[in-house]
Amino acid sequence: LEPKEEFSHKTLAMDVMRPRRSDPPLSVITQDGMSVEEVESLIADTSYSGFPVVVSHESQRLVGFVLRRDLIISIENARQRQEGVVSTSPIFFTEYTPPQPPNSPPPLKLRGILDLSPFTVTDHTAMDIVVDIFRKLGLRQCLVTHNGRLLGIITKKDILKHMAQIANRDPDSILFN
Ligand code: ADP
């Protein structure tokens, strides 16, 4: 992101975040209750660089963010090395794993690959502030919440695309020096 490009104050995080109203919902992983095969299909069916991890679909409360490549590596490793890990093994991102019923497949504990403090802004945050944070912290993505509920995600590319669109539509709203 070029430091000299400035955003118009009018643009808010909600205007840039995905999903758009017409898009499929955000792809999230729940902190418990998903199996190895469910997470594997999520990885196979999408190409996102990462997934927010939430307490539950109902609460949409954010627990952290997990990178796609870390998920792939961890599941592959567990399937190869960890005794008994199969498609139906449950995946836990929680601190503690509840005792599993006897003869059930062993759980896969993945809290270690979770970023527990992903950068988050509210949907009403002005985009010039978001851009400033991206630059200063060197972010790749940022999550968007409203009243503690996860709403969406903004990637660096989303910002660049949005800047290009505004520049086309209304060249005065961005100052290119
Ligand atoms: P990039 O924006 O660099 O291509 P991604 O491949 O992660 O990065 O994201 C592609 C698009 O999908 C972006 O518009 C982004 O906002 C959106 N996106 C990223 N992660 C998710 C997700 N877990 N669920 C839904 N949309 C996502």
Side-chain angles (χ1 to χ4, degrees), residues 15-35:
D15 304 320
V16 180
M17 70 168 204
R18 306 303 155 107
R20 299 280 193 227
R21 226 173 284 249
S22 52
D23 290 344
L26 197 64
S27 286
V28 299
I29 295 176
T30 53
Q31 65 175 354
D32 55 21
M34 285 180 80
S35 64

Side-chain angles (χ1 to χ4, degrees), residues 18 25-27 47-52 153 155 157-158:
R18 306 303 155 107
L26 197 64
S27 286
S47 60
Y48 306 128
S49 315
F51 304 91
I153 185 167
T155 66
K157 248 190 228 169
D158 291 330

Side-chain angles (χ1 to χ4, degrees), residues 80-92:
Q80 280 169 14
R81 303 210 187 104
Q82 197 181 324
E83 191 90 9
V85 167
V86 291
S87 298
T88 52
S89 297
I91 294 187
F92 286 94

Side-chain angles (χ1 to χ4, degrees), residues 48-172:
Y48 306 128
S49 315
F51 304 91
V53 174
V54 294
V55 171
S56 64
H57 284 288
E58 301 72 49
S59 75
Q60 286 294 314
R61 218 156 270 280
L62 187 64
V63 176
F65 191 79
V66 66
L67 288 177
R68 172 194 197 79
R69 58 160 189 271
D70 291 341
L71 265 180
I72 293 173
I73 292 170
S74 300
I75 293 176
E76 244 175 45
N77 278 345
R79 275 193 180 275
Q80 280 169 14
R81 303 210 187 104
Q82 197 181 324
E83 191 90 9
V85 167
V86 291
S87 298
T88 52
S89 297
I91 294 187
F92 286 94
F93 290 93
T94 48
E95 207 167 343
Y96 302 105
T97 313
Q100 300 297 304
N103 300 323
S104 60
L108 193 50
K109 301 175 192 178
L110 294 186
R111 192 175 182 83
I113 59 168
L114 199 53
D115 174 0
L116 290 166
S117 307
F119 208 87
T120 305
V121 296
T122 71
D123 53 344
H124 283 86
T125 308
M127 272 311 291
D128 55 349
I129 296 173
V130 176
V131 171
D132 211 39
I133 297 168
F134 263 77
R135 283 178 191 138
K136 288 186 174 145
L137 300 183
L139 298 182
R140 305 295 302 271
Q141 70 276 312
C142 163
L143 298 171
V144 182
T145 59
H146 180 84
N147 286 342
R149 281 172 74 90
L150 179 65
L151 273 195
I153 185 167
I154 298 174
T155 66
K156 191 170 153 182
K157 248 190 228 169
D158 291 330
I159 295 181
L160 292 171
K161 275 189 218 155
H162 191 81
M163 282 177 155
Q165 269 176 12
I166 292 178
N168 271 339
R169 211 187 309 145
D170 178 11
D172 290 338

